[in-house]
Amino acid sequence: MIALLFLGFSAGLPFLLVFSTLNARLADVGVETATIGFFSWLGITYSIKVFWAPVVDRVKLPLLDKLLGKRRSWIVLAQAGIATGLYLMAHVDATVAPEMMAFCGLLVAFSSATQDVAIDAYRIEIAEERLQAALAATYIFGYRLALLVAGAGALYLAEFWSWQVSYEVMALLVGVGAATVLIVREPTVNHFAAAQDIADKIEHEASKRTHLNPRLARFIGWFYAAIAGPFLDFFRRYKELAILILMMVAVYRISDIAMGVMANPFYLDFMGFSKTQVADVTKIFGFFMTIIGSLVGGVLVVRYGVRRILLAGAIMTAATNLLFVVLAQYPPNIATLALVVSADNLSGGIANVALIAWLSSMTSAAFTATQYALFSSLMTLPGKFIGGFSGMVVAGFGYAEFFLVAGLMGIPAILLAVYMMRKGERLDALAPRNEAVEQEPRRSD
């Protein structure tokens, strides 16, 4: 559990440094808002990590694998990429070379997403099933601490020293995770052996029935077990509802993610708050409000069922974006900012808990990791892509109009959440019977 605390810290550290903290840095040094919006596309890397996850799971790295083992070797390689990218970002002037800043940010984002895949695999394989909940909780706590350091901590360092010092310190903190990997042991059990068994069976059948080349037959077996199997299982189970479920996953966080791209430029550039004020309210205070929202969301899901809170979360997320429209109409006031940020973080915590619980309830035990990776990729990709155009909207119309559009983008999620409530009994009947997460109380919505 102590190891997962530090590995969670290592996983969470790079995220904000290529997202909201980077946006704050770009706004602070005078980069145009349209350009800042395009930088948010770096976050798409986290949304498409499922495409190279099978490589991380199956390929052994030369030399490093013999020294550390498969899981730890991939984590260390990813951490080396993160530290290198952050150090380079510390020494790049974004106003002179925005392309180089984007390239270094891409190195950090790609390495960070790869680290996430490897750490998730390590967490699953290092301990038996009865300890997984405790390990996951410890990992999340470490991740949240890292977000606080990479958010508020980086802003404080930039305020009192410089952005160069801030990113150099962040690069140095990657050593926390690297030291942890060198100390902990490599898992002795590979929980993906079942997928290999499926691949072997498909390879055998393909060779026997079609007389394929052995290498091609082996590829067909691997592809089915790693890629096709989770999709086929999901669509076979939910049939025509599968498309609507995927649409729900894709649009649920669009409003929240798109708004987040311009949040820091709005606080610093438009409202005129200092970096320390933004850190105090949005990072430290906002951190605790998100934790409270998550706890409240968990209690509400147990009491009222996941689909009702899923709908409530969608409504609250869209509504809190409209509060930013109001905030943009008045002179800067730190108390008003704290109130709006509180509402935003509380609603975000509730909505995220409901979404995670809903997605977890729909994954099959045979493909839990892969199907959840697909869900998590889909639920962030559209919002991050649309968020890339947020700077153009702000430059062309203004912050108030942008937040209004962001709020309206939450309407599809609300409508789909209502539809899922109406299909509640059927979704319950189709849900895997062997899942630990209960999707809904046994009463009608």
Side-chain angles (χ1 to χ4, degrees), residues 91-304:
H91 295 271
V92 173
D93 186 344
T95 59
V96 176
E99 298 86 358
M100 179 57 69
M101 179 65 79
F103 176 78
C104 296
L106 180 61
L107 174 61
V108 174
F110 178 80
S111 300
S112 177
T114 303
Q115 180 186 227
D116 289 349
V117 174
I119 291 179
D120 284 340
Y122 180 90
R123 173 176 53 82
I124 293 170
E125 296 176 0
I126 196 62
E128 59 269 30
E129 184 177 352
R130 66 184 181 86
L131 297 177
Q132 288 301 314
L135 293 181
T138 310
Y139 173 85
I140 291 173
F141 183 65
Y143 195 98
R144 290 288 184 179
L145 286 177
L147 294 183
L148 187 62
V149 171
L155 289 175
Y156 283 134
L157 288 171
E159 176 72 15
F160 293 110
W161 282 278
S162 67
W163 283 111
Q164 177 180 331
V165 171
S166 177
Y167 270 73
E168 284 177 343
V169 172
M170 296 300 117
L172 185 64
L173 288 176
V174 177
V176 173
T180 303
V181 173
L182 296 177
I183 294 173
V184 299
R185 63 181 176 87
E186 178 73 5
T188 56
V189 179
N190 189 340
H191 287 256
F192 291 94
Q196 185 60 48
D197 291 341
I198 295 174
D200 292 340
K201 291 178 182 178
I202 298 298
E203 176 186 346
H204 176 72
E205 291 296 324
S207 299
K208 182 176 67 174
R209 297 185 181 185
T210 62
H211 305 290
L212 291 175
N213 178 281
R215 291 185 177 180
L216 183 57
R218 189 177 303 113
F219 172 78
I220 292 174
W222 177 89
F223 182 85
Y224 182 89
I227 308 297
F231 283 105
L232 293 174
D233 172 79
F234 178 75
F235 281 96
R236 188 181 299 117
R237 180 146 39 91
Y238 288 104
K239 299 180 176 61
E240 77 280 0
L241 289 178
I243 297 298
L244 291 175
I245 291 172
L246 293 178
M247 288 177 59
M248 174 74 170
V249 175
V251 303
Y252 192 78
R253 294 196 60 200
I254 280 183
S255 177
D256 180 37
I257 294 175
M259 189 282 294
V261 174
M262 285 292 117
N264 275 332
F266 170 69
Y267 303 143
L268 295 168
D269 183 32
F270 183 80
M271 298 297 291
F273 292 110
S274 69
K275 290 187 287 292
T276 54
Q277 288 176 316
V278 173
D280 289 339
V281 174
T282 67
K283 304 304 179 183
I284 297 179
F285 184 69
F287 168 81
F288 290 105
M289 298 308 293
T290 300
I291 295 297
I292 293 173
S294 300
L295 294 174
V296 171
V299 173
L300 292 176
V301 167
V302 173
R303 176 65 180 84
Y304 297 105

Side-chain angles (χ1 to χ4, degrees), residues 378-402:
L378 185 60
M379 71 182 181
T380 57
L381 180 58
K384 289 178 180 177
F385 177 77
I386 292 175
F389 300 101
S390 59
M392 297 177 64
V393 177
V394 171
F397 300 95
Y399 278 103
E401 290 77 6
F402 165 72

Side-chain angles (χ1 to χ4, degrees), residues 424-439:
E425 292 185 5
R426 186 179 177 194
L427 288 172
D428 284 340
L430 294 174
R433 296 296 93 191
N434 55 353
E435 292 300 308
V437 179
E438 181 176 347
Q439 186 163 352

Side-chain angles (χ1 to χ4, degrees), residues 39-55:
F39 266 87
S40 71
W41 281 346
L42 292 174
I44 292 178
T45 310
Y46 292 90
S47 301
I48 60 175
K49 61 186 177 183
V50 66
F51 291 117
W52 64 88
V55 176

